[in-house]
Amino acid sequence: MTEAHDTYKSIYQNLIDAGCDESITEKCMLLVKEERIFDMLPILANHRKHLLDSVHKGQKQIDCLDYLIYSLKKQK
């Protein structure tokens, strides 16, 4: 029983560390309790996509700032 509890706690902590909101975390933990762990995969893949989209958006913003900084320095 301890091993199952440790696995449950580990999955929960991993979801939190991955930035999953309360809704996603609750859905996933319910699936864990129901021993339907593989049904979490589409939920996790969707969350991963959203995280990657935000990384790409941030990278575009950084690129714009870098270009602006470059342009301003070039005008000196």
Side-chain angles (χ1 to χ4, degrees):
M1 183 70 174
T2 303
E3 187 177 320
H5 184 68
D6 290 345
T7 300
Y8 184 87
K9 284 175 38 177
S10 176
I11 291 172
Y12 179 81
Q13 188 59 53
N14 197 286
L15 292 168
I16 299 301
D17 293 347
C20 294
D21 63 21
E22 189 176 331
S23 173
I24 292 171
T25 302
E26 286 177 4
K27 286 177 191 174
C28 288
M29 295 315 295
L30 180 61
L31 291 170
V32 171
K33 284 181 184 177
E34 294 173 352
E35 298 182 6
R36 297 171 47 207
I37 291 178
F38 291 107
D39 290 340
M40 291 188 332
L41 293 176
I43 297 168
L44 299 176
N46 189 48
H47 181 64
R48 183 184 186 284
K49 181 190 176 307
H50 287 296
L51 289 174
L52 192 56
D53 288 346
S54 71
V55 168
H56 290 155
K57 180 180 177 184
Q59 183 61 53
K60 286 180 185 179
Q61 293 170 337
I62 290 169
D63 291 345
C64 289
L65 281 173
D66 287 346
Y67 178 74
L68 178 59
I69 291 167
Y70 167 79
S71 297
L72 292 172
K73 286 181 177 180
K74 191 175 175 184
Q75 290 179 10
K76 269 188 166 180

